[in-house]
Amino acid sequence: MTLVLASRSPQRREILRQLGVEFVERPVDVVEEDDGVPEAVAGENALRKAVTAGAGEGEIVLGVDTLVATELEIWGKPPNAAAAAETLRRLSGRTHRVVSGVALLRTTGDVQAATASTDVTFRAIDDALLEWYVGCGEWEGRAGGYAIQGRGAALIERIDGDYLNVVGLPVATLIALWPGLLDLAS
């Protein structure tokens, strides 16, 4: 079997490489939903990515979508620095959920899907920390406007759940869906 990653995410590529899993990339452009119950939205977006990439003979396509949510409010990728600063102010001192949808599409058309959720608590972010973080630009292209695996670690007080889910690929959920995944490891 060949794993096809339907994503442009460098974090997802790096996590698969850390596992030693061989894969090919087939990035896709889909319009991502951003309104509704977070688990349903992430799951639907992941499925759209997998289906858009399409599974050829002997392929399993992995579609993933990760979002940040507080209750039923979804925090997407901020379009600019001002929006990033506002998002981080709103998350400051609060716990939010990082929700990932994972979809595996096989050549036969069979789909396996699941979601993962991790609680992340931000420390109280003062103006100096906010200015420093937004100024570094790491927020760009990141759900919720931060990257926990980078300088965004300075914003975090604690997490409860799968750290790799927050980075962008919930490995435990992926392996539960496809126990044979590690057979692709070199």
Side-chain angles (χ1 to χ4, degrees):
M1 293 307 285
T2 300
L3 174 64
V4 176
L5 177 61
S7 175
R8 285 186 174 80
S9 167
Q11 293 76 30
R12 292 184 186 122
R13 289 192 309 259
E14 183 57 30
I15 291 168
L16 289 171
R17 286 185 186 119
Q18 286 173 1
L19 293 172
V21 173
E22 295 182 19
F23 64 96
V24 296
E25 296 175 63
R26 192 176 299 152
V28 295
D29 291 313
V30 298
V31 176
E32 294 181 2
E33 293 294 320
D34 61 2
D35 187 39
V37 176
E39 290 77 7
V41 170
E44 178 62 27
N45 288 339
L47 180 59
R48 285 180 183 193
K49 291 174 185 181
V51 168
T52 300
E57 188 63 36
E59 295 180 336
I60 297 178
V61 179
L62 171 60
V64 183
D65 185 58
T66 300
L67 55 84
V68 169
T70 50
E71 292 140 22
L72 293 181
E73 187 169 10
I74 295 174
W75 298 89
K77 300 170 185 170
N80 54 50
E86 179 59 24
T87 297
L88 296 172
R89 272 191 205 93
R90 299 272 309 272
L91 295 175
S92 175
R94 297 178 63 192
T95 299
H96 60 273
R97 287 179 297 144
V98 176
V99 178
S100 291
V102 177
L104 292 170
L105 173 67
R106 299 179 187 277
T107 306
T108 60
D110 292 338
V111 175
Q112 292 175 278
T115 59
S117 182
T118 303
D119 289 335
V120 178
T121 302
F122 270 15
R123 57 190 284 192
I125 302 171
D126 62 23
D127 289 341
L129 180 58
L130 182 65
E131 185 176 323
W132 170 80
Y133 189 70
V134 172
C136 81
E138 187 178 77
W139 56 268
E140 293 184 60
R142 313 282 185 171
Y146 73 97
I148 194 171
Q149 73 279 10
R151 292 181 183 183
L155 309 175
I156 310 301
E157 182 176 298
R158 72 176 180 276
I159 71 167
D160 183 22
D162 183 352
Y163 169 80
L164 290 175
N165 180 43
V166 183
V167 176
L169 182 60
V171 171
T173 301
L174 177 56
I175 291 173
L177 285 175
W178 184 12
L181 172 71
L182 297 179
D183 293 340
L184 299 178
S186 54

